[in-house]
Amino acid sequence: MSNDGNKKQFWKRNAAKVPGSIQHVYGAQHPPLDPLLHANLIKAGNRPPPATPGKPKKATTFQEFESITSDAWDVGDDDDELLAMAAQNLNIEVVMETANKVIENHSKQQERQRQDDTTELEQRGEDTQEELEEEEEENEEDRAGEGDRTSPEVSFTSQSSPHTEGRLVKSQSEAPIGSPKDAASEHAGLHRQRSLPHRPPVIPLVARMADQNTSGTPAMTEREASRLDKFKQLLAGPNTDLEELRKLSWSGIPRQVRPITWKLLSGYLPANAERRESVLQRKRQEYFGFIQQYYDSRNDEHHQDTYRQIHIDIPRTNPLIPLFQQASVQEIFERILFIWAIRHPASGYVQGINDLVTPFFVVYVFEYIEEEVENFDVSSLQEEALRNIEADSFWCMSKLLDGIQDNYTFAQPGIQRKVKALEELVSRIDESVHLHMQQYEVEYLQFAFRWMNNLLMRELPLRCTIRLWDTYQAEPEGFSHFHLYVCAAFLVRWRKEILEERDFQGLMILLQNLPTMHWGNEEVSVLLAEAYRLKFAFADAPNHYKR
């Protein structure tokens, strides 16, 4: 019986805590009160308190129990009491009248805002029109005073637009047909742009290739001029001392002698000066013989997949540099990569190899031009010069890949080994960084695979890659062995930023987007010096980083 009694009196317990019970939710702005839903609350609020305290009457219904207990139903919860008090003072007519006033005021405010905007736009249009008329009068006076002198014209979205005083003014004959207000707005937009479309597009800093040895920079220092003279003297001899050339090149190669120096250090050209020209002619002819023999097979069933992947990857190569978006340059890259792929069936073409062509191409273009290369139109070069650049780039890229081909064979075992060696090396030289990445479950393969596959080309601006490769060409096994120590020094270079990240996602975003866009030769030189120190300490003592 006691159990039955407990079941019957279950509702007397705090029903508000019963799972699944429906509770009314009131937001911060107090929704309209429904008198029907809260009739009992209102009645309870109006009922006077008992005159004398005493034992309350035994409740027989839920409503009676709620009335008797009043605000003690939920201790500490005054929502119902507040609602009941508000209900006494609220009147539906008052609520509706207040709401209508709010809506009316809001509508009037919006109308005033629209009128203000229209007035401001008309004023701007009048001001702009006055400026245009004043400038037109000034232009006419200038033309009258200077005789045959005419204002230059530039191309702007397929329309000619005379510009004066660095400001763009759209030709009156090409003004759109429409209201003067629309025309004035368009003129104002052109004035705000303050652009000069006759100039080459602005190259982002990360894509610029200028350093202290390139054109467009201040004159060389005395030290740089002295180094250039040493290079020229060494290269002018009948037999170039390659060992001495490597020593000079380790600290960077002047742009003027970089093409010939890279060809010598890569083994593409012989040290004997008399044989160089004949070797160049023979190798260039050999390359274009490969083109005639193999390139037409790119659409064959056996090769079409390789060619299609190359064709997809080429436009993605350095997309911020206009030079590499020219159709003729992309065709050159397609030929170079396709010929290399079918001549190396053990690996074939692997994504990432397309990046390795670009430093050679840029360096060998500098052999024929003096100006900046980012916006250079290769169609202005003679056809023979362009063919020479293509053949030289192919052979030097092939020499590089011969030393790291196991990076690109099946399962890429060379990269797997290098990433593992990087992990062991970092665990010895900076245990804090190593343990921090272990704590947040960051695997070295997740970020360092790209460092090995692309030789840090995706992490550094191209100008820095070229400077880095000066040292790689000078260092024995630079691309295959020294690169490991460069990667270790590069990772530890960001130890402060790495240790500040406290989750996996933050670490991965940092490691895949390291802030190197402002880097130049100085930063690369410091990186290489640290890498050399690590190599000197660990390369000949592998047990130092083996547990």
Side-chain angles (χ1 to χ4, degrees):
M1 290 298 293
S2 61
N3 291 339
D4 292 342
N6 289 338
K7 289 181 181 178
K8 289 179 181 179
Q9 300 299 323
F10 175 76
W11 56 268
K12 290 187 177 182
R13 285 180 280 178
N14 192 352
K17 307 299 183 183
V18 177
S21 62
I22 300 175
Q23 302 288 325
H24 296 293
V25 178
Y26 301 99
Q29 299 301 321
H30 295 298
L33 188 68
D34 189 343
L36 296 178
L37 283 174
H38 301 279
N40 292 328
L41 289 175
I42 296 172
K43 291 177 182 178
N46 291 332
R47 183 177 292 112
T52 57
K55 189 175 181 180
K57 181 183 176 181
K58 186 176 181 181
T60 58
T61 65
F62 178 81
Q63 288 78 11
E64 290 180 7
F65 179 79
E66 182 182 21
S67 300
I68 293 171
T69 56
S70 186
D71 61 344
W73 175 246
D74 274 326
V75 179
D77 188 357
D78 296 332
D79 289 346
D80 290 342
E81 182 179 356
L82 292 173
L83 287 170
M85 295 172 60
Q88 296 178 12
N89 301 322
L90 284 176
N91 182 283
I92 296 301
E93 294 180 359
V94 175
V95 170
M96 295 303 296
E97 183 180 355
T98 304
N100 288 332
K101 285 183 179 180
V102 171
I103 294 172
E104 184 179 356
N105 291 336
H106 184 67
S107 300
K108 288 180 180 179
Q109 187 177 3
Q110 283 189 326
E111 182 63 28
R112 283 196 301 270
Q113 184 66 32
R114 281 196 294 268
Q115 291 176 357
D116 293 343
D117 292 343
T118 303
T119 303
E120 184 180 357
L121 184 60
E122 290 176 353
Q123 184 64 34
R124 286 182 181 177
E126 292 173 1
D127 295 343
T128 305
Q129 188 64 30
E130 291 176 2
E131 291 179 6
L132 294 173
E133 291 174 358
E134 291 176 2
E135 290 183 2
E136 185 63 26
E137 291 176 2
E138 292 176 2
N139 292 341
E140 290 178 359
E141 292 175 1
D142 293 341
R143 286 195 292 269
E146 297 178 8
D148 296 336
R149 183 179 176 182
T150 59
S151 60
E153 295 190 357
V154 295
S155 173
F156 184 70
T157 62
S158 303
Q159 294 174 339
S160 61
S161 304
H163 64 86
T164 58
E165 299 179 5
R167 304 179 72 180
L168 288 174
V169 182
K170 190 170 178 114
S171 173
Q172 295 294 330
S173 63
E174 296 171 351
I177 300 174
S179 64
K181 191 182 301 181
D182 294 339
S185 299
E186 186 165 355
H187 286 308
L190 289 174
H191 276 276
R192 283 193 297 270
Q193 287 179 8
R194 302 274 178 169
S195 60
L196 294 173
H198 70 285
R199 293 180 180 177
V202 176
I203 305 297
L205 180 61
V206 70
R208 295 178 193 168
M209 283 177 273
D211 57 40
Q212 69 264 26
N213 292 326
T214 60
S215 58
T217 57
M220 288 189 298
T221 63
E222 183 178 349
R223 178 179 179 275
E224 292 165 353
S226 175
R227 291 191 75 247
L228 178 59
D229 288 341
K230 289 181 180 180
F231 271 96
K232 288 181 176 180
Q233 292 175 9
L234 189 60
L235 295 169
N239 288 286
T240 302
D241 186 345
L242 295 182
E243 190 61 32
E244 188 65 26
L245 185 63
R246 288 191 180 94
K247 291 180 181 178
L248 272 179
S249 301
W250 206 99
S251 300
I253 305 171
R255 183 187 65 84
Q256 296 87 334
V257 294
R258 186 175 275 140
I260 181 67
T261 304
W262 275 26
K263 292 172 187 177
L264 286 166
L265 294 179
S266 65
Y268 175 46
L269 284 185
N272 184 274
E274 294 181 356
R275 295 178 50 225
R276 290 174 192 167
E277 189 61 32
S278 61
V279 169
L280 278 176
Q281 291 182 4
R282 177 172 57 82
K283 299 297 283 186
R284 289 166 179 171
Q285 290 175 1
E286 186 178 357
Y287 169 72
F288 285 102
F290 294 152
I291 296 291
Q292 293 178 356
Q293 183 177 356
Y294 299 117
Y295 195 60
D296 289 339
S297 67
R298 63 189 182 278
N299 293 318
D300 292 352
E301 182 179 358
H302 187 59
H303 298 308
Q304 61 182 1
D305 289 342
T306 297
Y307 178 73
R308 180 163 55 249
Q309 188 60 59
I310 292 172
H311 189 72
I312 290 171
D313 289 346
I314 291 301
R316 304 172 183 170
T317 305
N318 290 291
L320 298 177
I321 302 178
L323 172 71
F324 299 120
Q325 303 310 309
Q326 299 176 36
S328 55
V329 174
Q330 294 184 356
E331 290 171 3
I332 288 173
F333 282 21
E334 285 181 1
R335 289 194 291 268
I336 290 174
L337 294 171
F338 181 76
I339 297 301
W340 187 89
I342 63 175
R343 293 190 73 247
H344 296 82
S347 62
Y349 173 74
V350 176
Q351 286 180 301
I353 296 179
N354 55 304
D355 289 328
L356 305 183
V357 187
T358 56
F360 292 113
F361 186 83
V362 168
V363 167
Y364 297 148
V365 166
F366 274 133
E367 195 170 5
Y368 297 92
I369 68 171
E370 294 293 334
E371 62 266 33
E372 295 298 337
V373 73
E374 294 94 332
N375 287 305
F376 180 72
D377 183 5
V378 296
S379 63
S380 61
L381 286 174
Q382 295 182 359
E383 182 179 358
E384 181 182 1
L386 207 53
R387 287 167 62 89
N388 292 344
I389 292 170
E390 179 178 349
D392 295 346
S393 299
F394 169 80
W395 286 113
C396 289
M397 186 197 75
S398 298
K399 291 285 187 180
L400 184 159
L401 289 172
D402 286 348
I404 58 172
Q405 191 170 354
D406 61 345
N407 283 7
Y408 306 104
T409 54
F410 177 73
Q412 299 181 274
I415 292 180
Q416 302 278 354
R417 287 195 299 269
K418 290 183 178 71
V419 171
K420 183 63 177 175
L422 176 65
E423 182 177 0
E424 294 285 351
L425 184 56
V426 173
S427 69
R428 290 297 183 180
I429 63 177
D430 198 325
E431 190 175 13
S432 298
V433 169
H434 179 71
L435 294 177
H436 187 74
M437 290 196 291
Q438 277 190 337
Q439 179 182 354
Y440 295 104
E441 300 180 349
V442 174
E443 298 290 340
Y444 283 74
L445 200 63
Q446 293 169 329
F447 65 89
F449 180 89
R450 189 172 74 180
W451 296 9
M452 304 299 177
N453 190 62
N454 300 85
L455 298 177
L456 287 176
M457 287 194 63
R458 298 286 178 89
E459 325 309 320
L460 300 172
L462 184 54
R463 61 181 179 274
C464 295
T465 297
I466 291 174
R467 168 62 189 91
L468 188 68
W469 284 20
D470 286 346
T471 301
Y472 281 6
Q473 299 269 15
E475 184 74 22
E477 298 181 326
F479 293 98
S480 59
H481 185 62
F482 186 63
H483 180 68
L484 167 67
Y485 299 95
V486 172
C487 289
F490 187 64
L491 179 62
V492 175
R493 160 68 177 76
W494 307 102
R495 75 181 312 275
K496 179 177 178 291
E497 292 81 357
I498 289 171
L499 295 177
E500 287 176 352
E501 295 293 340
R502 297 295 178 178
D503 57 60
F504 173 85
Q505 182 179 2
L507 282 167
M508 289 305 301
I509 291 174
L510 171 67
L511 292 169
Q512 293 179 353
N513 300 275
L514 292 167
T516 61
M517 64 176 297
H518 296 283
W519 275 31
N521 285 359
E522 183 178 350
E523 289 80 5
V524 175
S525 296
V526 172
L527 178 69
L528 288 167
E530 177 62 17
Y532 184 80
R533 186 186 71 81
L534 294 176
K535 180 193 171 189
F536 185 80
F538 292 99
D540 297 326
N543 289 332
H544 283 193
Y545 62 85
K546 283 186 179 179
R547 293 186 182 277

